[in-house]
Amino acid sequence: MTAPAAPTAPRILFGGTFDPVHRAHISCARAVSRALGGAVVDLMPNAVPPHRPQPVASPEQRLDMLALAVAGHASLRVDPRELQRDGPSWTIDTLEALQREEPRRPRILVMGADSFAGFDNWHRWQDYARLCHLLVLPRPGADAPSARVQALFRETGADNLLASAAGNRLMLTAPVLDVSATAVREALARKGSCPAVSDPVLAYIRRHGLYNIGSGIQPGR
Ligand code: ATP
């Protein structure tokens, strides 16, 4: 008699610009892993379409900083696939590619509440519910999502997230961390450091002179 197939571990994708990766990204990704029984979470830097303002750091630098930030966190990985693809990189294309590669493996897309609030601006947003589950992190100051965004995914608890192939939504309530990459970049320029960035990432930023680091420090003050 053959043993029943083990349930397939979900593919958990936490996309973002990560310009730079900061402590809230890492704390949130670890909280997601814990909420899902220690599952591996892939941090996936996005390629920004050419018509939008480009990140300050290059794709390689964003990847390097992510690699430094996840080092030592066994449940976190970096997935470079969207930076390696030619042409515009839409998350929906990534999910469709993963579905072709691993049709039986459930996918969970992770995002902050601010991204969720603007979800109906995403390219082909209505197609997501047949391709993945959603896990939303709390974020201070985030707007409430519209009724049509809320209705797209069924809200469930952690135990039921994977009860169907796709289309469920888990709203985490912690951690609530008031950190943004925009504020990090401003602090780095103004003060030359920022506690929301880990030491190895800060050393990398200094080595590469990113984010106008220290340009706002007044001599002799
Ligand atoms: P920026 O300030 O440049 O917009 P950011 O801090 O929002 O950057 P991103 O790389 O754009 O960072 O975010 C990637 C993902 O992480 C998004 O889904 C975003 O909502 C989420 N995120 C970022 N910071 C937080 C936070 N403090 N709490 C919860 N989610 C967050």
Side-chain angles (χ1 to χ4, degrees), residues 124-212:
R124 293 178 49 202
W125 66 278
Q126 279 148 317
D127 292 336
Y128 279 78
R130 65 178 174 78
L131 288 165
C132 65
H133 301 295
L134 216 61
L135 193 153
V136 181
L137 297 151
R139 191 161 189 190
D143 291 334
S146 64
R148 64 183 192 164
V149 165
Q150 296 213 45
L152 187 63
F153 290 85
R154 281 174 304 272
E155 187 170 352
T156 59
D159 292 346
N160 285 322
L161 187 62
L162 298 172
S164 52
N168 289 338
R169 164 167 58 91
L170 173 64
M171 306 295 289
L172 285 196
T173 53
V176 178
L177 298 164
D178 194 6
V179 178
S180 74
T182 305
V184 166
R185 291 191 297 272
E186 283 168 8
L188 289 170
R190 195 160 32 86
K191 298 189 292 195
S193 69
C194 176
V197 168
S198 72
D199 290 343
V201 172
L202 183 61
Y204 184 95
I205 290 170
R206 289 203 171 120
R207 216 163 42 248
H208 292 260
L210 291 171
Y211 309 115
N212 293 319

Side-chain angles (χ1 to χ4, degrees), residues 76-106:
L76 307 187
R77 286 191 315 208
V78 182
D79 187 333
R81 64 175 61 226
E82 291 199 339
L83 297 181
Q84 291 168 344
R85 205 164 53 211
D86 288 334
S89 124
W90 304 112
T91 305
I92 195 81
D93 297 334
T94 303
L95 294 172
E96 284 178 337
L98 285 169
Q99 189 188 34
R100 285 191 297 274
E101 282 169 31
E102 303 175 305
R104 292 181 182 284
R105 190 166 186 195

Side-chain angles (χ1 to χ4, degrees), residues 17-21 45 55-69 83 201 204-205 207-211:
T17 314
F18 302 113
D19 185 31
V21 58
V56 175
S58 69
E60 295 71 25
Q61 289 169 334
R62 287 187 289 136
L63 270 178
D64 287 346
M65 290 187 281
L66 276 164
L68 291 168
L83 297 181
V201 172
Y204 184 95
I205 290 170
R207 216 163 42 248
H208 292 260
L210 291 171
Y211 309 115

